[in-house]
Amino acid sequence: AAVIAAFVFGMAGNISKTKMVAATAQQSGNTIYVTYQGGQDNQDVQSVHGVATVNNADHSMGTVTGVGQTMSVGGSTGKDHVVVTAVFKDGSTQVITDTYV
């Protein structure tokens, strides 16, 4: 039992904590806008990056570093895939928004 417990508790140490930050995406005309909203773990965010798949091609939306900052990409025809990731000071990366607009 002790060996099994040590194995189980050892594995639990490798699981990373999900960080709590968010971004919102919206479309206005043919432009997609992503706004970084921040969150509980905002102090640990180094940068936020957005990518939109528009007309079957990936387009960088740029990078923001502060709460309330917005990034955008044009050419949207509707139902385009948007993925936003945050890079944290500890070197980890996490998807914070994955949606269609």
Side-chain angles (χ1 to χ4, degrees):
V3 172
I4 292 171
F7 178 73
V8 170
F9 289 114
M11 286 181 61
N14 293 334
I15 297 172
S16 61
K17 176 186 168 235
T18 299
K19 297 181 175 63
M20 301 297 292
V21 293
T24 56
Q26 63 182 356
Q27 182 176 351
S28 178
N30 67 349
T31 303
I32 298 169
Y33 296 95
V34 170
T35 303
Y36 174 53
Q37 301 295 332
Q40 174 181 329
D41 295 308
N42 181 61
Q43 71 280 358
D44 298 327
V45 173
Q46 187 172 4
S47 59
V48 177
H49 309 273
V51 174
T53 304
V54 177
N55 298 322
N56 297 318
D58 290 340
H59 299 275
S60 173
M61 298 184 74
T63 301
V64 297
T65 56
V67 174
Q69 291 182 332
T70 300
M71 52 190 138
S72 64
V73 65
S76 176
T77 57
K79 293 297 178 191
D80 297 307
H81 191 197
V82 178
V83 177
V84 182
T85 56
V87 178
F88 296 89
K89 293 176 183 174
D90 65 4
S92 64
T93 302
Q94 178 178 310
V95 173
I96 62 172
T97 301
D98 186 346
T99 191
Y100 286 84
V101 294

